[in-house]
Amino acid sequence: MSGIIGYVGPRQIVPILLHGLRRLEYRGYDSAGLAVVDEGRLEVRRAAGKLRQLEELIRLQPLDGTYGIGHTRWATHGRPTTENAHPHCDCSGRLAVVHNGIVENYLALRSRLTEEGHAFRTETDTEVIAHLIEKHLQELATSALDPDVRLEKAARAAVRDMTGVFAVALISADVPETIVAVRQGPPVVIGIGREEYFVASDVLALLYYTREVCFLEDGQIAVLMRRGVRIRDLEGNAVTPRLERIGWEPILVEKGGFPHFMLKEIYEQPRALRELLKAHTAADGRSVRFEEIEMDKEQIRQIRTLRLVGCGGSWHAALAGEFLIEHLARLPTEVDYSSEFRYRDPILDEGTLVVALSQSGETADTLAAVREARRHRAPVLALCNGRGATLTREAQGTIFLHAGPEIGVASTKAFTAELMALYLLAVYLGEQRGTLAAEQRERLLREAWMIPEKLERVLAKDDDVRELARQFARAPAAFFLGRGLYYPIALEGALLLKELAYVYAEGYPAGEMKHGPNALIDEHLPIVVINARDPESPLSQLLYEKTLANIIEAKAREGRVLGIVTEGDVEVRQVADGLLEIPVASYWLSPILATVPLQLLAYHTAVLKGCDVDQPRHLAKSVTVE
Ligand code: G6P
């Protein structure tokens, strides 16, 4: 994992690299480092810990140059120490490399290179890249090639020696104003300016400087120089860059007055959902529109089963999707963790639609699941937020989430956007398969359009949630319970509390408590029960009553219950210790509303405990290793 950045051009380089790293810090924050070349001298600064440690180091030991690279690390191979921080150098100290990914055969390469006389200084797999390129450069030393071509050739030869997945950027003090970047797996985007070029793991790092970009494909090598950029494949064939313009405004990657990105992103949810609905419903509000799906009606009618795959929050959204799609489109649906999918020899064919959910579109396990599906000729749809993401390139069609950049490590607005996108997908499939009449469809879409405003009402209760968070900050653990569609939301609530506030939490189907977990209930363990009610849905009514019985059982065992209920609720109020109300909504949509108090609860608990909300320990937002 990790984030890489590079710049060649006339501007002051260090602020550009640091700015880029700040935008990429969500990808890992175990250490950070820079390497720049100034008048033929390579200078490196590296520091363990967050980016501010590196900034402090640079304040004490400033540096400057005309081209350079930077890195923010999520440790895979080698502890998160300063020695293991990128950039890594070759023996000469004139070549520096930053890397996102894993070199799988690094141990074999390392011992071969050691035998050949290369001296290793770190525990990382990345260092072999620097030494490998050094070796290939030595082999090319007598060739008449231009220095930039020689560096590119050496990098290409090194790539051929390595197995694994990697995005690499490198510079050499002997090749002025040149950066070589390679993609073999994780994303690499080239930013194009006037006589200046950028390379990064994510467009977020470039938005302030340019929105003209080009995404490298797997197996491509780019050479960035002041006078231009050239791209070739691994065989050395020239590739014409496919230029794209990113529509996001730079302001979207600022906190905009909020203390944390996560809180800002929670508050952005009504807007994000409006954007999503605008993009994916027809102007007359009568039907769903998915323009980026390349499947025709006939293909959709041939689908017999559906498989949803995702990780983390995206997996929870997929669980909710199963309810929605089976109910509204009557299509048998299964959900898998992306990381498990291909190891259980899934039964897939042209009649199985695989829908891969991913905020980033870069999660390695989800990409691997998609490749497995394609190997079996199953059609693949992506539900994705990331513009230009790998997932969107590998799937036959994409339903974009339109949530805007999400920077807090915990997914918030992308999660609720996934829920809404799945709802629309269920309506769409229902229409194509003839399980929903036109008027049902129109009602379902009308109800969807009511959600953003209802979400605003939930957000207005933020202060009540902050008050309740005090109990959770002191709690040793917590339970989150729900039935039906609220069960995946309970899982999400528990995950958020774990990852943000470091409180052990478990999400459970409320009806399963009596099969074991009830033994844990005592007066110290808060139990959050989601029990909203849709008066127009008999199913919701039934689930409400069953869940109410579970609340009463928990109370009989001295449990402390916090209920997430619909406005005007009477029954839960009589038994629960605390309540948070959400507006009445359709059962199929109220999980979106019920999620928000849980997001706020985890957020405020984490703040009260002094946790780093946007960058929880040991985690990263975009997990590009399996
Ligand atoms: C990481 C993040 C989670 C996210 C998961 C899946 O673990 O910390 O918040 O839900 O990855 O990410 P994706 O981008 O594939 O949705």
Side-chain angles (χ1 to χ4, degrees):
M1 233 140 57
S2 312
I4 63 173
I5 178 88
Y7 175 73
V8 53
R11 304 194 216 204
Q12 260 212 316
I13 189 163
V14 172
I16 292 182
L17 296 179
L18 288 175
H19 170 90
L21 290 182
R22 212 165 296 125
R23 295 290 159 263
L24 295 173
E25 219 185 355
Y26 74 86
R27 303 176 71 88
Y29 31 82
D30 287 333
S31 64
L34 294 185
V36 300
V37 178
D38 192 20
E39 294 178 358
R41 238 190 29 252
L42 183 84
E43 291 259 5
V44 179
R45 300 283 184 276
R46 303 180 302 165
K50 300 233 165 121
L51 185 58
R52 57 177 174 268
Q53 308 297 333
L54 177 69
E55 287 170 331
E56 181 56 19
L57 177 69
I58 290 173
R59 203 179 57 78
L60 300 172
Q61 298 170 21
L63 75 169
D64 199 4
T66 50
Y67 61 114
I69 51 179
H71 189 267
T72 180
R73 175 170 191 240
W74 187 79
T76 55
H77 292 57
R79 288 162 298 147
T81 58
T82 300
E83 293 68 44
N84 289 332
H86 301 215
H88 292 295
C89 292
D90 65 351
C91 297
S92 74
R94 297 187 61 73
L95 180 101
V97 173
V98 289
H99 164 221
N100 166 207
I102 292 180
V103 181
E104 280 165 5
N105 59 340
Y106 84 103
L107 284 174
L109 290 172
R110 187 180 168 119
S111 47
R112 212 171 71 202
L113 288 159
T114 308
E115 274 168 30
E116 291 170 11
H118 290 262
F120 281 81
R121 290 177 287 255
T122 77
E123 301 162 327
T124 65
D125 53 339
T126 305
E127 198 184 350
V128 301
I129 308 176
H131 291 283
L132 262 182
I133 296 174
E134 179 178 36
K135 171 190 146 105
H136 290 297
L137 277 173
Q138 282 161 2
E139 287 161 6
L140 293 167
T142 54
S143 77
L145 298 170
D146 285 345
D148 56 285
V149 179
R150 201 179 305 145
L151 187 61
E152 180 191 349
K153 265 197 125 172
R156 185 174 299 116
V159 170
R160 284 205 210 96
D161 293 336
M162 298 189 287
T163 58
V165 288
F166 36 84
V168 173
L170 59 108
I171 53 172
S172 161
D174 300 319
V175 190
E177 302 198 311
T178 303
I179 302 172
V180 176
V182 182
R183 176 179 191 175
Q184 187 65 53
V188 176
V189 59
I190 310 287
I192 294 158
R194 211 179 293 156
E195 289 199 20
E196 60 176 358
Y197 291 90
F198 306 77
V199 56
S201 297
D202 190 326
V203 287
L204 298 184
L206 312 180
L207 285 182
Y208 258 105
Y209 305 103
T210 179
R211 284 193 263 164
E212 299 297 332
V213 302
C214 156
F215 292 91
L216 286 194
E217 303 283 345
D218 274 353
Q220 291 184 347
I221 299 190
V223 180
L224 288 69
M225 286 174 294
R226 285 285 294 271
R227 61 172 188 270
V229 60
R230 68 165 181 266
I231 302 176
R232 290 187 209 270
D233 63 19
L234 285 184
E235 279 71 51
N237 304 311
V239 172
T240 317
R242 243 192 13 219
L243 300 188
E244 292 180 37
R245 188 172 166 78
I246 302 296
W248 287 345
E249 296 292 332
I251 191 73
L252 288 174
V253 292
E254 297 301 330
K255 284 187 194 153
F258 285 91
H260 299 99
F261 279 111
M262 180 182 176
L263 192 61
K264 172 183 171 242
E265 287 158 7
I266 290 174
Y267 274 81
E268 279 174 348
Q269 288 175 110
R271 200 190 68 197
L273 292 183
R274 281 190 187 105
E275 289 293 319
L276 184 146
L277 287 166
K278 211 159 70 195
H280 295 311
T281 56
D284 63 5
R286 291 190 174 165
S287 59
V288 176
R289 239 185 10 185
F290 288 139
E291 278 164 6
E292 298 96 348
I293 294 184
E294 283 167 26
M295 295 169 73
D296 57 33
K297 274 195 175 183
E298 198 38 51
Q299 269 176 300
I300 290 178
R301 282 207 197 94
Q302 278 168 13
I303 295 163
R304 291 184 309 278
T305 56
L306 200 137
R307 308 291 282 269
L308 298 167
V309 294
C311 298
S314 292
W315 181 74
H316 297 155
L319 288 178
E322 181 182 10
F323 284 83
L324 292 165
I325 292 163
E326 292 205 330
H327 175 76
L328 296 174
R330 305 308 296 156
L331 186 62
T333 303
E334 266 185 65
V335 180
D336 274 276
Y337 282 115
S338 305
S339 56
E340 294 289 322
F341 186 62
R342 67 194 184 288
Y343 302 116
R344 66 186 193 86
D345 196 10
I347 299 168
L348 299 165
D349 57 25
E350 289 99 331
T352 314
L353 176 64
V354 174
V355 180
L357 286 84
S358 177
Q359 186 286 128
S360 60
E362 300 295 347
T363 302
D365 284 315
T366 302
L367 293 174
V370 164
R371 287 170 195 148
E372 175 72 8
R374 297 202 64 176
R375 206 165 62 78
H376 292 271
R377 308 162 67 86
V380 177
L381 265 188
L383 240 80
C384 186
N385 197 37
R387 287 280 156 187
T390 309
L391 178 63
T392 63
R393 288 152 189 272
E394 300 214 358
Q396 273 104 322
T398 299
I399 299 173
F400 278 106
L401 297 175
H402 295 276
E406 193 182 69
I407 292 170
V409 163
S411 189
T412 50
K413 58 178 179 169
F415 176 77
T416 47
E418 281 174 342
L419 293 177
M420 184 61 95
L422 286 162
Y423 177 85
L424 295 183
L425 178 62
V427 174
Y428 177 78
L429 292 171
E431 176 186 356
Q432 306 288 324
R433 291 166 51 79
T435 57
L436 290 176
E439 73 205 41
Q440 267 176 302
R441 221 169 51 226
E442 282 168 33
R443 184 174 46 77
L444 288 164
L445 293 182
R446 263 200 315 279
E447 284 167 346
W449 272 102
M450 292 176 193
I451 293 299
E453 188 268 325
K454 291 183 180 180
L455 256 183
E456 277 157 5
R457 280 160 53 195
V458 180
L459 288 168
K461 297 195 176 144
D462 192 2
D463 287 347
D464 302 348
V465 186
R466 192 181 305 125
E467 230 8 80
L468 284 162
R470 290 183 195 288
Q471 298 175 25
F472 287 80
R474 291 190 301 266
F479 263 115
F480 288 76
L481 309 181
R483 281 174 180 262
L485 269 171
Y486 301 129
Y487 161 54
I489 305 308
L491 292 177
E492 179 66 7
L495 177 65
L496 290 172
L497 196 66
K498 276 186 277 214
E499 70 174 314
L500 293 163
Y502 315 148
V503 175
Y504 181 75
E506 197 158 2
Y508 232 75
E512 282 294 299
M513 287 295 283
K514 50 189 164 306
H515 300 295
N518 267 355
L520 290 170
I521 296 178
D522 63 19
E523 69 276 22
H524 306 295
L525 186 82
I527 306 171
V528 181
V529 188
I530 309 159
N531 200 18
R533 173 159 52 174
D534 170 4
E536 291 179 21
S537 158
L539 172 61
S540 169
Q541 185 61 30
L542 184 66
L543 292 173
Y544 178 85
E545 279 156 17
K546 299 284 175 200
T547 309
L548 180 63
N550 299 133
I551 294 176
I552 294 167
E553 285 157 19
K555 285 305 302 170
R557 288 156 184 81
E558 307 292 323
R560 277 196 295 128
V561 172
L562 166 65
I564 311 281
V565 296
T566 22
E567 285 163 358
D569 181 279
V570 179
E571 286 97 323
V572 178
R573 181 179 299 276
Q574 286 169 10
V575 282
D577 302 271
L579 280 190
L580 285 171
E581 291 185 331
I582 59 174
V584 177
S586 146
Y587 169 65
W588 305 104
L589 286 158
S590 64
I592 296 176
L593 303 180
T595 300
V596 177
L598 305 185
Q599 294 169 340
L600 289 169
L601 187 66
Y603 170 79
H604 289 302
T605 309
V607 171
L608 283 170
K609 292 185 73 174
C611 301
D612 189 337
V613 176
D614 284 331
Q615 296 175 339
R617 65 186 179 204
H618 312 320
L619 298 177
K621 186 159 187 67
S622 184
V623 185
T624 55
V625 292
E626 286 174 31

